[in-house]
Amino acid sequence: MVTKAPASKPVLTKEERREKRAAKREKQRAANGLRAAKMHKARLENPLPVSRSAPPKINVGCSGWFYWHWKGGFYPATLPTNEWFAHYAEAFSTVELNASFYSWPTLANVAGWKKQAGRRKMAYTVKACELITHVKSFTGTKTLVADFGYIADLLGEKMGCFLFQLPPSFTYSKARLNRLVSQLDASRRNVVEFRHKSWWNETVYAAFRKAGIIFCATSGPRLPDELVKTADDIYIRFHGIKNWYRHDYSDAELEEWAQRVKAANPRRVWAYFNNDFGGNAVRNAAAFEKKLRKILR
């Protein structure tokens, strides 16, 4: 009996890979409105108590945990992918979920997050869907924000923050500031990350302080390198200094940020490393958390 060898997958060119990714993104964007509508219906039909989670003072982790290039490094080469989260959770008690930016989470997705956390003390920070921040740019999105906020009530004690990341094209204006602040739900732990330096100004800080919104400190190329405190909690995203996602933070660089945190004297600190290249995020997050535990009381 002759056994046929399994057919090998065709090798795609760089352009074909780009087209495949673009097609996937369009499919995700088309589905987001439908997914949001389903969550809206669930929120109205099954209202839940507003989440009142009380995470610990120090929350340090990575922006995402499922990276293929971490296999053989952070994740042992022989470890099955369905055990990766458990391995991550042995090192960190919080994670920033970025997949929710591209695809509006379903009720099943949220139930899956809760299930995988199990009895562990795990806090999920959930990045808001681009339908709110990039497609509609906070124009007429108050209902969408409320629908997305339902995720917190579903997660309960596993909920960390909501992260609203705006694109570089979203430059400062008083009208945009008012639009943003007026639509965020004060009962949630809201973080806003800007990617244009025009938002680093006292008018924004004052508005955020009044509304209890957390201004995201961003370590990234061509952005102000400073820690801004507008709420009791502070939030930092580490992307890299000269290059996005690839920088390996030195001990001195991490120490400088740790001292900034200490000077801010926050009730709670959230810090996530998005420099995933080469597993830098894992090493840097572990080192930064160690520093914070030495200096914060």
Side-chain angles (χ1 to χ4, degrees):
M1 181 177 178
V2 178
T3 303
K4 291 184 177 180
S8 58
K9 292 183 179 180
V11 178
L12 301 178
T13 65
K14 186 176 181 180
E15 183 61 31
E16 288 172 332
R17 291 196 302 271
R18 186 182 296 113
E19 290 177 356
K20 187 175 181 181
R21 286 195 298 268
K24 180 181 178 182
R25 293 288 292 112
E26 285 304 313
K27 187 176 180 180
Q28 288 173 323
R29 286 191 173 119
N32 282 336
L34 296 174
R35 288 182 168 208
K38 288 181 179 179
M39 187 160 285
H40 175 74
K41 182 179 179 182
R43 178 172 69 88
L44 296 182
E45 292 181 349
N46 184 32
L48 298 171
V50 173
S51 172
R52 299 293 184 188
S53 62
K57 181 167 186 168
I58 299 173
N59 302 271
V60 180
C62 301
S63 298
W65 56 272
F66 197 100
Y67 293 102
W68 284 110
H69 56 274
W70 287 4
K71 182 178 181 179
F74 178 60
Y75 296 121
T78 57
L79 188 70
T81 56
N82 62 0
E83 295 180 23
W84 281 13
F85 183 82
H87 186 84
Y88 174 90
E90 290 177 4
F92 304 104
S93 61
T94 188
V95 65
E96 192 181 73
L97 299 176
N98 286 317
S100 53
F101 172 80
Y102 301 103
S103 291
W104 188 292
T106 64
L107 297 177
N109 291 149
V110 181
W113 300 339
K114 198 169 183 178
K115 183 179 180 180
Q116 75 176 359
R119 296 183 178 180
R120 301 182 185 93
K121 290 184 177 180
M122 174 61 63
Y124 290 109
T125 279
V126 187
K127 190 174 181 179
C129 183
E130 66 170 353
L131 179 61
I132 297 170
T133 57
H134 287 55
V135 177
K136 293 184 177 294
S137 299
F138 273 101
T139 299
T141 56
K142 193 164 187 175
T143 298
L144 284 175
V145 171
D147 295 337
F148 201 84
Y150 188 59
I151 292 172
D153 303 332
L154 291 168
L155 284 175
E157 64 179 9
K158 304 298 183 187
M159 184 65 199
C161 305
F162 281 119
L163 171 65
F164 296 87
Q165 179 200 307
L166 281 304
S169 58
F170 194 81
T171 55
Y172 169 77
S173 76
K174 190 65 182 296
R176 283 178 170 175
L177 173 62
N178 292 339
R179 194 167 78 214
L180 192 160
V181 170
S182 66
Q183 293 184 69
L184 291 181
D185 183 350
S187 68
R188 309 298 185 188
R189 194 179 290 115
N190 298 310
V191 181
V192 178
E193 180 187 23
F194 297 108
R195 291 291 179 87
H196 192 276
K197 62 183 181 181
S198 60
W199 289 91
W200 274 255
N201 70 68
E202 288 299 332
T203 302
V204 175
Y205 305 157
F208 273 32
R209 290 188 186 106
K210 185 176 180 179
I213 299 170
I214 304 168
F215 187 99
C216 180
T218 307
S219 176
R222 298 174 297 282
L223 291 173
D225 185 52
E226 58 184 280
L227 177 57
V228 177
K229 183 183 179 185
T230 59
D232 292 335
D233 289 18
I234 59 174
Y235 195 105
I236 313 167
R237 297 191 87 203
F238 292 90
H239 301 291
I241 296 178
K242 294 182 179 179
N243 297 302
W244 292 92
Y245 320 125
R246 303 176 71 89
H247 185 72
D248 186 5
Y249 285 87
S250 68
D251 183 76
E253 289 164 345
L254 293 177
E255 179 63 27
E256 182 176 1
W257 274 101
Q259 292 302 322
R260 291 173 181 175
V261 172
K262 182 180 179 181
N265 190 29
R267 174 182 61 188
R268 190 179 291 115
V269 57
W270 305 85
Y272 294 99
F273 286 78
N274 198 25
N275 53 331
D276 60 271
F277 183 80
N280 293 334
V282 176
R283 295 189 301 274
N284 294 166
F288 191 61
E289 181 173 9
K290 187 176 181 180
K291 288 181 178 295
L292 292 183
R293 293 199 180 281
K294 284 184 177 179
I295 63 176
L296 295 184
R297 296 289 184 266

